[in-house]
Amino acid sequence: IGRLQSSGGLPPTNPFLVSSSDFPVPGWWWSAALGWAERFAGLGAVRLFTVAVAACMGWLVVRCSRPTSELRVPALSALVQVLPASMVLEILTPWMNARPHLGGFVLLALALVVWRERRSQWWMVGIFVLWVNIHGSWLYGIAVLGLLWVAEMFDDRAFGFERTRWLA
């Protein structure tokens, strides 16, 4: 689909469906990025783009794994950060290829960083606008954020009005 987009724009129907052409083109922003990378510099650019996105995801996972508590022991702090990040990246390694779900993984990691660092909720609007047009995993993102909200309520042993408003 990316090649079609870079040569003539977004196709009006999904060219890969045999039974019906009414289903919209999924992941069209991701496909456009890959199509333009290939048009610009060939398949090597697609590989470089994939590596850059995977590296970005790795950086976000490490950033998201930073402990939020005040740990004063540097070795323990590093272990708490590196161990979960290593496990996540090891599990995701087989799926780090030039498919739209890689963009979904990056946006999930970005959403988790925004949540954990208590950034402005307006960041989530941008993240989900991109995510809806990249991959259908945005639904999982909503579920993950909902689970984090519930987990934080249990941790705090109180109903968090600020986080509830933020999640909404």
Side-chain angles (χ1 to χ4, degrees):
I1 294 179
R3 288 180 183 151
L4 294 173
Q5 286 177 278
S6 66
S7 64
L10 185 64
T13 60
N14 191 337
F16 299 113
L17 291 179
V18 176
S19 60
S20 170
S21 62
D22 295 336
F23 188 76
V25 177
W28 66 275
W29 285 11
W30 183 264
S31 297
L34 293 179
W36 282 104
E38 182 185 20
R39 187 176 183 141
F40 177 69
L43 287 177
V46 172
R47 289 186 189 106
L48 286 175
F49 177 76
T50 304
V51 167
V53 171
C56 179
M57 184 187 68
W59 176 74
L60 287 169
V61 166
V62 169
R63 184 171 173 172
C64 188
S65 299
R66 286 193 299 201
T68 56
S69 63
E70 295 294 325
L71 294 174
R72 300 291 182 201
V73 182
L76 181 60
S77 178
L79 181 64
V80 167
Q81 185 174 358
V82 170
L83 187 61
S86 299
M87 291 174 62
V88 166
L89 294 175
E90 178 64 29
I91 290 168
L92 291 178
T93 298
W95 290 282
M96 288 189 196
N97 53 37
R99 303 235 4 226
H101 64 267
L102 181 59
F105 291 152
V106 170
L107 291 169
L108 175 60
L110 184 59
L112 293 175
V113 167
V114 168
W115 180 275
R116 291 202 54 184
E117 294 181 359
R118 304 289 198 248
R119 302 281 180 182
S120 170
Q121 65 265 30
W122 292 107
W123 279 98
M124 290 294 188
V125 173
I127 290 169
F128 276 90
V129 164
L130 284 172
W131 203 348
V132 164
N133 290 295
I134 287 179
H135 192 255
S137 61
W138 63 271
L139 291 167
Y140 298 123
I142 292 173
V144 167
L145 291 176
L147 288 172
L148 281 174
W149 174 70
V150 169
E152 284 184 4
M153 281 195 314
F154 278 115
D155 285 346
D156 297 341
R157 292 179 174 77
F159 186 77
F161 289 105
E162 177 188 344
R163 294 307 275 177
T164 303
R165 181 181 54 83
W166 195 92
L167 183 63

